[in-house]
Amino acid sequence: MFVQALLIGVLATLCGSVFLELWVWVMRNPIIEGALVGLILGDWMTGATIGATIQLIYMGQITVGGISSFDKCYAGVIATAVTMLSHQTPEVGVTIAVTLGTIGLLASNLTMAVNAVFVHMADKYIETGETKRLWIYNWLLPNLFAGVVYGLPAFFVCYFGAGAFESFMASLPAFISNALTVVGSILPALGIGMMFKAVYKQKFLAFAIIGFVLIAYLHLDIIACTLVGGAAALLYWTLGLDKLTEGE
C-alpha cells in the first residue's frame, strides 16, 4: 500500500501543478484522473467509472478569470482514491468529491499566492540578465510546492485515512448512508442540467430528445448512445444543416 499511496501522491502533484501544459488541459479532469488512480490501485475501470461520475457534476462549471469553483486534483485524484480504498459506490464518491473539491480550493489559492512570490524572486535574475536560473523559480519551486499541498495530502489520506474512513462509513446509520447515495445520484444530474443550460439552442432540442429516448426507453449503453450521437453530428455536418440554420 505504501507504493500505491506514493504513486497517487506523485499523480496528485502532477495534476495540481503545471508540470506540462498538455497535462494541464488533457489529463487534469476527473475522468482521466480517476482512470489513472484506478490503474495504480489495480482496477482502472472502477476508477474511470468513479471519475466519470464525478466529472458529471462539473460539466457545466465555468472557470472565470482562472478561478474555479472546485479543485480538480482533490476532487478527481484524492476523492477517487478514497472512494476505491474505502470500497464505496460512485454515488458516495460524488459526495466525497464535492467536499474534497471545496477543501482543495484552499490548496489552489495558496498555490497561486506562493507562486506569485516565486515570480518576484526571479525578477532579480532578470534584471541582471542571469536567465539560466529562471527555471528554478518558474518551474522547479512551483512544482515542489505542489508536492507539499497536493502530493503529501494525497499520500497521507491514502496511506492512513482510507481505512479510518471505511470504518466511519460502516458505523453510520442506514438512513445516512442512503441519504449520501441519493445526494450523489442527484448531483450529476444537476451538473448535466447546468451544462445543458449553458449550451442549449432550440435547433438542437430534437437531438436531446432522441438521446433521452435511447437511454430511458431503449436502455442503450453509453457506447451505443455515443455512436448514435456521433452519427447525428456527422449527418448534421455532411448534409449542410449547419449552413441552413446559421443565424438562428
Side-chain angles (χ1 to χ4, degrees):
M1 187 60 225
F2 176 83
V3 175
Q4 291 175 316
L6 184 62
L7 290 175
I8 291 174
V10 172
L11 177 62
T13 300
L14 294 176
C15 292
S17 65
V18 188
F19 191 79
L20 290 173
E21 190 71 15
L22 179 63
W23 180 276
V24 172
W25 298 108
V26 177
M27 309 301 287
R28 194 191 288 177
N29 290 287
I31 186 172
I32 303 297
E33 294 168 335
L36 293 174
V37 169
L39 187 64
I40 293 172
L41 296 178
D43 188 355
W44 74 270
M45 181 60 74
T46 299
T49 301
I50 296 172
T53 307
I54 295 172
Q55 182 88 45
L56 292 174
I57 315 173
Y58 304 111
M59 289 183 69
Q61 187 265 347
I62 299 175
T63 300
V64 179
I67 304 300
S68 177
S69 61
F70 76 106
D71 185 85
K72 292 182 178 180
C73 176
Y74 274 66
V77 176
I78 302 179
T80 300
V82 171
T83 302
M84 292 187 65
L85 291 172
S86 58
H87 304 97
Q88 302 300 316
T89 63
E91 290 76 17
V92 174
V94 167
T95 60
I96 297 173
V98 171
T99 303
L100 291 179
T102 303
I103 294 175
L105 288 176
L106 298 175
S108 60
N109 290 335
L110 180 62
T111 298
M112 288 187 287
V114 173
N115 285 349
V117 175
F118 293 149
V119 172
H120 292 300
M121 292 172 64
D123 287 345
K124 61 181 180 179
Y125 292 103
I126 296 176
E127 294 172 356
T128 59
E130 299 179 60
T131 56
K132 291 183 179 180
R133 295 188 179 184
L134 291 180
W135 72 277
I136 297 176
Y137 301 96
N138 292 340
W139 188 86
L140 180 61
L141 291 181
N143 284 301
L144 290 177
F145 186 76
V148 174
V149 297
Y150 290 101
L152 289 181
F155 171 79
F156 287 120
V157 166
C158 294
Y159 192 67
F160 297 105
F165 182 78
E166 183 177 15
S167 300
F168 170 75
M169 292 297 296
S171 67
L172 291 177
F175 74 92
I176 295 181
S177 299
N178 294 335
L180 291 175
T181 301
V182 171
V183 171
S185 301
I186 293 174
L187 287 175
L190 178 62
I192 293 174
M194 293 173 61
M195 181 198 66
F196 192 71
K197 181 178 180 180
V199 302
Y200 171 77
K201 289 187 178 181
Q202 187 174 358
K203 62 183 179 181
F204 297 133
L205 179 60
F207 296 106
I209 295 174
I210 292 173
F212 177 78
V213 171
L214 292 176
I215 294 176
Y217 292 94
L218 299 181
H219 305 291
L220 298 184
D221 59 26
I222 190 66
I223 295 178
C225 292
T226 300
L227 292 174
V228 172
L234 185 60
L235 284 173
Y236 186 83
W237 178 65
T238 55
L239 295 178
L241 298 181
D242 54 329
K243 302 294 191 300
L244 296 177
T245 56
E246 282 184 353
E248 292 186 9

